[in-house]
């Protein structure tokens, strides 16, 4: 008889709520509605190769990326699943320039949802791992429709964050500030079942993950760090292996489970890197810290950065505590 408890994410959320006597139930309702949206996206992603929803819509999103039909479907699915539950005062999607308001005929709530509906979508046609990323904050304004002020909060104010990785199996990984937990979707019953309770990242790994095609645009300090990782030194597990999918959710998921470091650095072409603080940096940083890891822009904790713009980019170094500390020492010129 299996010793594993069969716990759905809904049960896990309810039990988590019981641990907070003052909980109103709104937060649990929000996560339940979000989980439904993830299942609807999974259903389309899992048949993408069969149904003519591949290929682009012939237009671009605000960042100039080809907008794939699944991107649009995922974006609309999350918005429509979340706009009427009365849990949110405002939303913001990586696919939309401005904030997304709750329709006037629906009640507003006390939370804010910020999401990247389908990250890594350039990999869709190649059937490579893609994912959905989300962040939840408490509202700052007092009542009614939320505003940009409710969205531009530093990452340490998140009340929850997570991602869904649509890969060989589909997993939902999330935190509410009480550790990181993974749920694997059982397609036969359409339920996310607890499969990775209290995920902890190794204090040091042996994998580094970065797009080395940008090497010639990097700073000398970063090049020295990469050379350090590639040197032979058995006492510190070097040389590290290089692994890079080009889809943040897949690269971070591997880093979380195996350890090591993921990087999207600034370079001479992109002085703030490519990844967005609100949609990618903050949720992943919250998860990594909750799993015992570390997340920085090279000199500052990601979660301490005060956002100025909804789509601002941030250099990202995240993973095992010891690996990220060593990276910071090289990046700050304290180590050569
Ligand atoms: P590059 C996908 O387009 C994405 O936003 C992230 O998922 C991923 O980490 C990054 O861009 C990959 O960027 O420049 O290496 O192709």
């Amino acid at each position: 008889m299996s010793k594993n408890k069969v716990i759905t994410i809904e049960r896990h959320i309810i039990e988590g709520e019981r641990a907070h006597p003052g909980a109103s139930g709104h937060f649990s309702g929000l996560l339940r509605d979000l989980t439904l949206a993830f299942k609807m996206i999974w259903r389309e992603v899992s048949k993408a190769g069969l149904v003519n929803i591949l290929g682009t819509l012939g237009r671009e999103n605000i960042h100039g990326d080809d907008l794939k039909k699944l991107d649009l479907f995922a974006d609309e699915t999350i918005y429509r699943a979340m706009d009427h539950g009365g849990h949110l005062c405002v939303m913001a999607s990586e696919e939309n320039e401005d904030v997304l308001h709750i329709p006037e005929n629906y009640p507003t709530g006390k939370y804010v949802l910020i999401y990247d509906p389908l990250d890594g979508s350039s990999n869709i046609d190649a059937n490579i791992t893609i994912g959905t990323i989300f962040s939840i904050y408490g509202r700052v304004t007092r009542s009614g429709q939320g505003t940009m002020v409710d969205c531009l909060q530093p990452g340490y104010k998140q009340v929850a964050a997570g991602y869904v990785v649509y890969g060989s199996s589909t997993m939902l990984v999330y935190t509410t500030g009480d550790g990181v937990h993974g749920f694997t979707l059982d397609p036969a019953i359409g339920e996310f079942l607890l499969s990775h309770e209290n995920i902890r990242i190794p204090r040091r790994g042996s994998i580094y993950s970065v797009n080395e095609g940008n090497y010639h645009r990097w700073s000398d300090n970063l090049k020295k760090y990469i050379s350090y990782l590639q040197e032979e030194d058995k006492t510190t597990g070097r040389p590290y292996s290089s692994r890079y999918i080009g889809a943040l959710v897949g690269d971070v998921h591997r880093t979380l489970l195996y350890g090591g470091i993921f990087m999207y650095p600034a370079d001479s072409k992109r002085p703030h890197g490519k990844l967005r603080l609100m949609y990618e940096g903050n949720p992943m940083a919250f998860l990594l810290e909750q799993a015992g890891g570390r997340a920085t822009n090279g000199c500052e904790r990601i979660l301490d950065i005060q956002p100025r713009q909804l789509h601002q980019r941030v250099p990202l170094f995240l993973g095992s505590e010891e690996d990220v500390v060593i990276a910071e020492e090289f990046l700050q010129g304290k180590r050569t």
Side-chain angles (χ1 to χ4, degrees):
M1 177 70 75
S2 162
K3 66 181 185 313
N4 292 332
K5 300 172 285 183
V6 177
I7 298 182
T8 64
I9 187 163
E10 286 79 6
R11 167 61 51 205
H12 195 265
I13 292 166
I14 290 169
E15 288 177 1
E17 182 185 325
R18 285 186 185 144
H20 299 83
S24 64
H26 271 300
F27 187 59
S28 306
L30 192 171
L31 287 177
R32 271 199 304 276
D33 292 351
L34 208 44
T35 302
L36 174 64
F38 296 153
K39 292 177 188 176
M40 294 166 72
I41 295 169
W42 163 75
R43 183 186 56 197
E44 295 307 310
V45 167
S46 59
K47 65 184 181 187
L50 305 174
V51 178
N52 178 28
I53 51 175
L54 291 182
T56 66
L57 288 171
R59 59 189 174 89
E60 296 179 338
N61 68 8
I62 60 169
H63 307 293
D65 302 325
D66 275 344
L67 199 55
K68 301 224 179 251
K69 291 177 181 175
L70 270 176
D71 271 344
L72 186 63
F73 171 82
D75 193 29
E76 289 178 352
T77 298
I78 293 175
Y79 181 80
R80 288 213 312 272
M82 304 307 293
D83 66 351
H84 57 281
H87 311 302
L88 300 173
C89 65
V90 68
M91 292 184 249
S93 163
E94 194 255 1
E95 298 290 352
N96 295 269
E97 181 72 32
D98 201 352
V99 302
L100 301 171
H101 291 295
I102 303 302
E104 289 297 333
N105 55 318
Y106 291 143
T108 55
K110 63 181 185 179
Y111 294 105
V112 178
L113 173 66
I114 297 179
Y115 63 95
D116 184 352
L118 208 56
D119 184 85
S121 54
S122 57
N123 292 304
I124 289 174
D125 292 343
N127 198 23
I128 293 172
T129 301
I130 52 181
T132 300
I133 310 171
F134 68 93
S135 248
I136 300 170
Y137 295 78
R139 74 178 301 166
V140 173
T141 54
R142 290 181 57 78
S143 61
Q145 288 285 349
T147 68
M148 186 66 83
V149 169
D150 293 299
C151 295
L152 293 182
Q153 298 186 56
Y156 69 83
K157 296 228 174 148
Q158 290 172 96
V159 295
Y163 59 78
V164 183
V165 52
Y166 309 100
S168 49
S169 65
T170 292
M171 264 189 77
L172 169 55
V173 176
Y174 88 116
T175 182
T176 58
D178 189 19
V180 177
H181 310 287
F183 299 79
T184 300
L185 183 66
D186 179 337
I189 59 175
E191 289 288 359
F192 282 103
L193 303 179
L194 183 62
S195 55
H196 297 66
E197 190 167 20
N198 196 26
I199 299 172
R200 302 295 292 172
I201 186 171
R203 287 197 58 75
R204 180 162 185 167
S206 57
I207 297 170
Y208 74 97
S209 184
V210 66
N211 183 343
E212 300 204 52
N214 297 325
Y215 179 85
H216 292 293
R217 297 183 189 144
W218 291 345
S219 69
D220 289 341
N221 286 344
L222 177 57
K223 290 177 181 176
K224 287 174 186 170
Y225 175 55
I226 301 300
S227 298
Y228 163 81
L229 295 175
Q230 296 169 340
E231 288 164 356
E232 192 83 30
D233 178 339
K234 294 299 179 205
T235 63
T236 54
R238 290 180 290 145
Y240 279 22
S241 296
S242 173
R243 296 284 184 276
Y244 191 73
I245 299 173
L248 179 69
V249 173
D251 282 319
V252 170
H253 188 59
R254 181 200 57 248
T255 304
L256 179 67
L257 295 183
Y258 295 174
I261 186 168
F262 169 85
M263 299 170 259
Y264 208 108
D267 62 38
S268 57
K269 182 181 173 191
R270 291 183 169 129
H272 301 288
K274 174 182 182 183
L275 301 179
R276 287 84 176 184
L277 172 63
M278 298 311 294
Y279 300 97
E280 294 156 325
N282 277 338
M284 294 312 196
F286 188 22
L287 285 163
L288 263 294
E289 288 198 3
Q290 280 291 310
R294 188 180 177 91
T296 170
N297 64 1
C299 55
E300 186 181 2
R301 182 183 179 229
I302 293 293
L303 296 183
D304 286 340
I305 297 173
Q306 175 56 52
R308 297 176 319 284
Q309 294 169 333
L310 198 53
H311 294 275
Q312 73 182 67
R313 299 175 193 266
V314 66
L316 196 54
F317 299 83
L318 59 78
S320 298
E321 167 81 17
E322 290 181 18
D323 285 302
V324 177
V325 167
I326 292 169
E328 288 176 284
E329 290 171 349
F330 274 95
L331 292 165
Q332 294 168 25
K334 296 172 182 171
R335 191 164 173 164
T336 55

